[in-house]
């Protein structure tokens, strides 16, 4: 009954035009139409969403033009970091407050960590090797057969490797903080380094291990528990350190974020409003949609002359009044779960399509305006 009339078909076609096909079982003529949608219509329909996004960005850009001028005078603005970096590139790093000996050590450490000589390059390759080794260890531990084999060994090789890696990464992080006063990319400031993307990555690569050891020492968690597994899997994020060794990708992304900070803030606020607003509407409209209702096997789906069916009640509560404890709603039962579903919808993925008519109107809005 999904395509029983034009209005029913209209909603499902709108979902297909976003590029998602939760329904694919069509007859031959329906498949021809789907092929046309894939090749031509999706590109055409995506234009309004692109225009909405582009127009929104242009409006925000015009509003921040004046603030960009103030940023060039040194005040906090979109390009504050870039202007400050340009000013400091022609300046010598400040001397250490602890005297010339510490000052010389900071300079040597900085040259070692960020230099281009063979020793510095060798250290970066060692960092990359240890990082990839940590990712490989996480992958191996996730395989039950491998994990069982390793647990049966006399020596905990992965545990030793983990401790060694943490010590290695901790020393590297401490050295970068120590030498930040000589690093122009950190604006000669340990605090600036610690709050940059790469500084946070260096901290995240070691902090979970120390948190885990603290919680285990005081009996809050046990080794082998699900929470312990979460801390173990978090080691995979050390792969981000490879980017910090050569600055090839995320450093550019970091610059783009700072340059587009105001646009991203405004669009994030708009997305938040659309997300929460549409989730509230879906919750109101779909809370008692019989399409998301599940009943006990003893309850007929469609009513008979003797008794009503699972889908015949206006609400799940009424169903439970007639069949106590035999009816349950599987989706849109509360706002948190609805927020999750709408977040998926906003990505253009429609795992659910059989909405009520008010829900279908919200669906059509998300297909064009919300996703854009």
């Amino acid at each position: 009954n999904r395509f029983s009339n034009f209005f029913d078909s209209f909603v499902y076609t709108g979902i297909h035009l976003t590029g998602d096909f939760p329904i694919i079982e069509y007859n031959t003529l329906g498949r021809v139409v789907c092929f046309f949608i894939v090749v031509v219509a999706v590109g055409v329909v995506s234009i309004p969403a692109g225009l909405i996004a582009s127009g929104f960005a242009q409006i925000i850009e015009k509003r921040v033009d004046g603030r960009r001028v103030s940023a060039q005078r040194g005040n906090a603005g979109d390009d504050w970091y870039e202007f400050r970096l340009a000013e400091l590139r022609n300046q010598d790093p400040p001397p250490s407050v602890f005297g010339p000996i510490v000052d010389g050590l900071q300079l040597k450490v900085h040259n070692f960590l960020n230099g281009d000589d063979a020793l510095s390059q060798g250290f970066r390759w060692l960092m990359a090797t240890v990082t990839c080794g940590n990712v490989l260890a996480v992958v191996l531990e996730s395989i039950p057969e491998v994990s069982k084999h390793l647990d049966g060994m006399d020596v905990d090789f992965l545990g030793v490797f983990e401790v060694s890696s943490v010590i290695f990464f901790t020393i590297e992080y401490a050295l970068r903080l120590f030498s930040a006063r000589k690093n122009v990319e950190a604006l000669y400031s340990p605090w600036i380094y610690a709050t940059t993307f790469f500084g946070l990555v260096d901290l995240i690569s070691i902090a979970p291990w120390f948190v885990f050891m603290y919680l285990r020492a005081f009996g809050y968690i046990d080794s082998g528990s699900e929470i312990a597994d979460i801390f173990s899997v978090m080691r995979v994020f050390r792969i981000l350190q490879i980017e910090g060794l050569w600055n090839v990708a995320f450093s550019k992304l970091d610059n783009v974020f700072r340059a587009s900070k105001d646009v991203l803030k405004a669009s994030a606020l708009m997305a938040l409003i659309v997300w929460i607003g549409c989730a509230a509407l879906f919750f109101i409209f779909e809370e008692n949609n019989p399409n998301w209702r599940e009943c006990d096997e003893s309850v007929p789906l469609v009513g008979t002359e003797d008794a009503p069916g699972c889908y015949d009640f206006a609400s799940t509560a009424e169903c439970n009044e007639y069949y106590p404890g035999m009816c349950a709603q599987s989706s849109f039962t509360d706002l948190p779960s609805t927020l999750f579903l709408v977040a998926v919808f906003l990505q253009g993925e429609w795992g659910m399509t059989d909405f009520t008519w008010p829900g279908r109107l919200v669906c059509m809005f998300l297909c064009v305006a919300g996703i854009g």
Side-chain angles (χ1 to χ4, degrees):
N1 61 356
R2 285 171 173 161
F3 298 91
S4 58
N5 57 62
F6 171 82
F7 296 102
D8 287 335
S9 304
F10 187 75
V11 177
Y12 300 111
T13 304
I15 292 175
H16 289 339
L17 287 172
T18 66
D20 192 36
F21 287 80
I23 303 171
I24 58 174
E25 297 177 355
Y26 293 105
N27 58 28
T28 302
L29 293 178
R31 293 178 182 181
V32 172
V33 175
C34 283
F35 179 78
F36 172 77
I37 291 176
V38 171
V39 176
V40 179
V42 170
V44 174
V45 174
S46 64
I47 293 175
L51 291 175
I52 293 172
S54 177
F56 183 77
Q58 290 179 7
I59 291 174
I60 300 301
E61 285 287 351
K62 290 179 180 179
R63 291 184 178 181
V64 301
D65 280 344
R67 291 164 59 185
R68 290 184 183 276
V69 175
S70 65
Q72 294 179 0
R73 293 195 295 267
N75 298 327
D78 284 359
D79 304 315
W80 172 82
Y81 175 86
E82 282 73 16
F83 287 114
R84 183 60 179 156
L85 180 63
E87 292 175 359
L88 294 177
R89 284 200 183 278
N90 298 323
Q91 298 182 18
D92 294 330
S96 173
V97 296
F98 299 102
I101 297 179
V102 175
D103 188 77
L105 286 175
Q106 287 178 329
L107 187 59
K108 289 181 180 179
V109 171
H110 167 69
N111 292 335
F112 170 72
L113 294 175
N114 304 288
D116 294 325
D117 55 20
L119 186 61
S120 298
Q121 292 285 355
F123 174 76
R124 282 195 279 274
W125 279 108
L126 176 62
M127 281 281 297
T129 302
V130 175
T131 300
C132 292
N134 275 263
V135 175
L136 179 61
V138 173
V139 174
L140 292 177
E141 285 182 339
S142 68
I143 304 175
E145 295 80 4
V146 176
S147 179
K148 183 179 180 180
H149 176 73
L150 293 173
D151 291 339
M153 301 180 67
D154 296 332
V155 180
D156 185 8
F157 290 102
L158 292 182
V160 174
F161 179 66
E162 167 67 0
V163 174
S164 303
S165 299
V166 170
I167 294 174
F168 181 76
F169 289 132
T170 302
I171 293 175
E172 189 259 351
Y173 180 62
L175 290 177
R176 290 195 180 277
L177 284 175
F178 173 73
S179 62
R181 296 286 293 177
K182 306 301 177 184
N183 185 3
V184 68
E185 298 291 337
L187 304 185
Y188 300 136
S189 168
W191 172 251
I192 294 294
Y193 163 73
T195 55
T196 59
F197 174 82
F198 298 121
L200 294 174
V201 166
D202 289 341
L203 179 62
I204 292 173
S205 68
I206 58 176
W209 186 85
F210 288 105
V211 173
F212 168 72
M213 295 303 294
Y214 172 83
L215 294 176
R216 191 180 69 171
F218 287 92
Y220 292 106
I221 59 176
D222 299 322
S223 298
S225 64
E226 292 183 0
I227 299 178
D229 291 340
I230 293 175
F231 280 99
S232 177
V233 172
M234 289 183 68
R235 286 180 293 163
V236 75
F237 292 108
R238 291 175 183 170
I239 192 68
L240 295 173
Q241 286 196 319
I242 293 181
E243 153 62 19
L245 300 178
W246 286 282
N247 296 330
V248 294
F250 283 103
S251 58
K252 305 298 184 294
L253 182 62
D254 195 27
N255 293 339
V256 172
F257 174 78
R258 283 194 298 267
S260 306
K261 183 171 59 177
D262 280 311
V263 175
L264 292 175
K265 284 181 180 179
S267 58
L269 178 60
M270 181 63 69
L272 182 65
I273 294 173
V274 171
W275 177 39
I276 296 178
C278 290
L281 293 175
F282 266 125
F283 175 64
I284 294 172
F285 298 145
E286 303 298 318
E287 182 182 9
N288 290 299
N289 187 338
N291 289 320
W292 324 127
R293 188 177 302 155
E294 298 176 352
C295 296
D296 187 79
E297 294 181 356
S298 61
V299 179
L301 296 180
V302 181
T304 62
E305 295 180 357
D306 299 328
C310 180
Y311 298 152
D312 295 335
F313 296 95
S315 68
T316 306
E318 292 181 8
C319 182
N320 277 315
E321 288 180 2
Y322 195 92
Y323 299 105
M326 297 184 181
C327 307
Q329 203 75 2
S330 62
S331 302
F332 304 101
T333 55
D334 52 60
L335 197 53
S337 63
T338 305
L339 283 168
F340 167 75
L341 292 174
V342 175
V344 176
F345 296 161
L346 283 169
Q347 303 305 313
E349 299 293 333
W350 295 89
M352 297 179 172
T353 56
D354 299 319
F355 304 114
T356 61
W357 265 109
R360 293 178 183 183
L361 295 177
V362 180
C363 169
M364 292 305 298
F365 169 77
L366 289 180
C367 286
V368 180
I371 296 175

